[in-house]
Amino acid sequence: MPLDLTASSVDLTRQLCDIESVSGNETLLADEIERALAPLSHLEVIRDGDTIVARTGLGRDRRVVIAGHIDTVPLNGNLPTRFETIETDAPAQAPGEYLWGRGTVDMKAGVAVQLKLAAELVEPAIDVTWMWYDHEEVSAELNGLGRLARHRPALFAGDFAILGEPTNSIVEGGCNGNMRIEVRTFGLRSHSARAWIGDNAIHKAAPILDTLVGYTPREVEVEGLVYREGLNAVGISGGIAGNIIPDECMVHINYRFAPDRSAAEALEHLRELFGEYDITVVDEAEGARPGLDAPLAQEFLAAVGGEARPKYGWTDVARFSALGMPAVNYGPGDPLKAHADDERVPLAQIRDCEAGLRAWLTAARRN
Amino acid sequence: MPLDLTASSVDLTRQLCDIESVSGNETLLADEIERALAPLSHLEVIRDGDTIVARTGLGRDRRVVIAGHIDTVPLNGNLPTRFETIETDAPAQAPGEYLWGRGTVDMKAGVAVQLKLAAELVEPAIDVTWMWYDHEEVSAELNGLGRLARHRPALFAGDFAILGEPTNSIVEGGCNGNMRIEVRTFGLRSHSARAWIGDNAIHKAAPILDTLVGYTPREVEVEGLVYREGLNAVGISGGIAGNIIPDECMVHINYRFAPDRSAAEALEHLRELFGEYDITVVDEAEGARPGLDAPLAQEFLAAVGGEARPKYGWTDVARFSALGMPAVNYGPGDPLKAHADDERVPLAQIRDCEAGLRAWLTAARRN
């Protein structure tokens, strides 16, 4: 059944979720989105792989990019979606009406709101470039938004960007940076019956863990938002066999750093902490300053209402930030439920997000 | 070509090594051994799987069991064997003539000496039960000696046992016990962008490594030999993904304990050290007291010459020890070269071992 963009944003969320689109398998959903948009004469539709771009060309002197990814993490028995009512306070779950299932939070509810408004708002107060992209949940080099920026950089012209990642429909500004390093210790193998001939690399990793345990993460205010950092071992491995003294141990460390630090500064900090060991950088992503002092950001905040919060997780807002465009996260769903087996989005948040975005796109100062 | 048991023990070592017999693939070599022994009327030959037993029945009032395993660890480009001359002192390698290749040290040189003497000594001073067994280099439940003890316990009657494991042709008494445990810490998963919601199980493993680093292994005198213990992490693992706070970490610990402790006492000691964590015993093997005060052991030592040393590694002598039989290790080759890619045995040690064993088996007090 083709997508019905005139349905409610709740119903449209359900339609989108029930078309499975685990990363790498987005083609069917991209086809459906493209087909649903094709008849809409107020939008220019462009496709790159499984990324669909739709833009208005009203000649407004300001343009916003509003984006969302259409892929999800793998299923775990959580499709098709279903509606649920939570009657009493479950742990960390407010009572109310929910849509349960993979993608409801991360982030097809956000995409549904965007698609509905893209179809309906024929003459928004600001020109809009809508982007729905593939491969967000996998390695960065596959990311559809990154690919689009390489293939069609001109599409990224704009004054402000909104990413529909789940934020409980509250504006979250910027994002922490993300760095992962592997810290290695080396020793000398020997038979464990004569351990004194060898040199135990796992034992040598003890001070690395001690440093992590004793570390106090910073809380840093950047442009009015307080970003909380994190420094954690996310993996550890070592050992060859039960009777061999290991000659290598690796601690995989993840540093989430506030956007007052560049990735280079973050690495410098890690070298201060672990400089005596062998360090390999396996992933690095700059953070994004919130950019909430930009005029469009201020108008957006005023229209949506409420205060902005910092975004702790890294999101693609950093890609816009790197292009010099202020960017915020704004979408339905609790980010703590993203990727969870009991992923579920409150229906009220879908409606709130739609209302907020609609208010801004229709009421913003026309030019 | 059939085995030639009249060849020198050096040549016989080469013949045995060049019949590849990695654990699980011993049948061809066992066939050849059985065929070579079959014509010898002074020996009763018994086969159990790929284990061959040959015994004299001279009516002596004392009997010794002399055993060696015929399997090897996997090859690593180190067959066929070759002779090598080391001219000058390489690191940890004395000058001299060597036979290089898989199994030369662990332990076909020992088996060659045993086979040659089994064939040649028609009337040894002591009755001998020779055992050549399969599956020593793999998990204990496959061990051919253990299987033989279950199938044919009567074959284990005897007053003393000699295992031909490599000892540089020096008598090594008893062996350390061996215990492996997995120590686990548990936490709570969360996205690493919000680490404070989770509880990092890898960080919780820091005190375990600190305990290992700070631990001073015992040196314990048992019946005149000093056993050196060892307590080591031989493995560590934890982590789910680069963006998830891990909820479990496992440290794999190997305790080599002196034979004054039972395995139960060794575990009690580990519980004292790591009792606040979840402990799983994954392997345990009792040590063996040297038993050098037994009269046959004393005669053996006197005939072979030199002093006895403690055996640090666990060997199958513990199986004999558990049956109440004093048992020692005595075989050519440096145990540090066992399993090594440059496994090589000094030819002089093969000849020394043959001479020592021959002297004892022919000169021991007849009864």
Side-chain angles (χ1 to χ4, degrees), chain A residues 30-324:
Chain A
D31 289 348
E32 291 298 333
I33 291 172
E34 188 180 20
R35 191 194 314 187
L37 295 169
L40 306 175
S41 59
H42 67 290
L43 293 173
E44 176 194 9
V45 178
I46 299 147
R47 180 161 182 165
D48 180 274
D50 289 332
T51 291
I52 310 289
V53 179
R55 17 177 231 183
T56 61
L58 299 164
R60 313 286 192 225
D61 68 356
R62 297 184 303 177
R63 178 174 286 277
V64 62
V65 176
I66 304 180
H69 65 84
I70 64 171
D71 60 323
T72 70
V73 295
L75 308 192
N76 193 4
N78 47 6
L79 275 189
T81 54
R82 61 173 185 256
F83 288 107
E84 282 187 346
T85 303
I86 294 187
E87 304 281 358
T88 53
D89 252 332
Q93 201 74 71
E97 303 291 323
Y98 286 82
L99 180 63
W100 172 99
R102 176 61 76 231
T104 52
V105 168
D106 191 8
M107 54 169 280
K108 290 183 176 176
V111 170
V113 167
Q114 295 171 359
L115 275 170
K116 179 171 178 62
L117 294 178
E120 190 173 327
L121 302 182
V122 175
E123 291 203 343
I126 312 163
D127 266 318
V128 185
T129 304
W130 304 94
M131 297 178 172
W132 298 286
Y133 61 100
D134 56 288
H135 283 97
E136 193 269 350
E137 297 289 4
V138 286
S139 69
E141 68 266 25
L142 295 175
N143 186 293
L145 204 59
R147 190 186 63 239
L148 189 69
R150 292 191 300 275
H151 290 179
R152 303 289 298 265
L155 292 176
F156 285 74
D159 306 285
F160 183 50
I162 300 167
L163 202 63
E165 291 279 359
T167 63
N168 287 308
S169 294
I170 291 163
V171 176
E172 292 189 347
C175 68
N176 270 335
N178 187 21
M179 175 161 293
R180 287 189 295 117
I181 61 172
E182 292 177 349
V183 181
R184 281 186 172 73
T185 59
F186 298 100
L188 181 68
R189 283 192 202 188
S190 77
H191 197 289
S192 67
R194 292 170 213 86
W196 50 91
I197 290 168
D199 182 19
N200 194 318
I202 294 177
H203 294 194
K204 285 180 163 178
I208 298 172
L209 297 191
D210 289 337
T211 295
L212 290 170
V213 170
Y215 186 82
T216 304
R218 296 190 309 157
E219 299 195 4
V220 187
E221 185 172 327
V222 182
E223 296 171 10
L225 300 184
V226 177
Y227 289 83
R228 192 165 173 182
E229 297 197 331
L231 182 68
N232 275 276
V234 289
I236 190 165
S237 63
I240 297 113
N243 61 352
I244 297 181
I245 299 302
D247 59 351
E248 187 173 332
C249 182
M250 187 276 284
V251 187
H252 185 182
I253 294 175
N254 186 207
Y255 180 33
R256 302 284 178 152
F257 54 96
D260 68 323
R261 272 189 176 154
S262 67
E265 288 164 342
L267 180 57
E268 192 181 329
H269 180 57
L270 295 178
R271 288 199 194 282
E272 285 163 17
L273 293 171
F274 305 110
E276 64 191 290
Y277 304 98
D278 179 89
I279 294 178
T280 308
V281 176
V282 290
D283 194 19
E284 60 177 329
E286 300 284 351
R289 301 180 74 91
L292 292 174
D293 44 358
L296 266 178
Q298 288 291 325
E299 285 177 29
F300 176 65
L301 258 182
V304 166
E307 284 198 22
R309 293 186 190 165
K311 184 77 176 171
Y312 295 123
W314 192 92
T315 76
D316 278 320
V317 296
R319 296 182 188 273
F320 295 105
S321 179
L323 295 169

Side-chain angles (χ1 to χ4, degrees), chain A residues 1 22 110 277 333 349:
Chain A
M1 212 166 69
V22 173
Y277 304 98
Q349 287 190 7

Side-chain angles (χ1 to χ4, degrees), chain A residues 172 176 178 180 191-197 200 202-207 209-210 212-213 228-246 249-252 254 256 311-314 335-336 339, chain B residues 172 176 178 180 191-197 200 202-207 209-210 212-213 228-246 249-252 254 256 311-314 335-336 339:
Chain A
E172 292 189 347
N176 270 335
N178 187 21
R180 287 189 295 117
H191 197 289
S192 67
R194 292 170 213 86
W196 50 91
I197 290 168
N200 194 318
I202 294 177
H203 294 194
K204 285 180 163 178
L209 297 191
D210 289 337
L212 290 170
V213 170
R228 192 165 173 182
E229 297 197 331
L231 182 68
N232 275 276
V234 289
I236 190 165
S237 63
I240 297 113
N243 61 352
I244 297 181
I245 299 302
C249 182
M250 187 276 284
V251 187
H252 185 182
N254 186 207
R256 302 284 178 152
K311 184 77 176 171
Y312 295 123
W314 192 92
L336 297 178
H339 305 191
Chain B
E172 292 189 349
N176 271 336
N178 188 21
R180 288 190 293 116
H191 197 288
S192 67
R194 291 169 215 86
W196 51 90
I197 289 168
N200 195 317
I202 294 177
H203 293 195
K204 286 181 164 177
L209 297 190
D210 290 337
L212 291 169
V213 169
R228 193 165 171 182
E229 297 197 332
L231 182 68
N232 275 276
V234 289
I236 189 166
S237 63
I240 297 114
N243 62 352
I244 297 180
I245 299 302
C249 182
M250 187 276 286
V251 187
H252 184 180
N254 185 207
R256 302 282 177 154
K311 185 76 176 172
Y312 295 123
W314 191 92
L336 296 179
H339 305 192

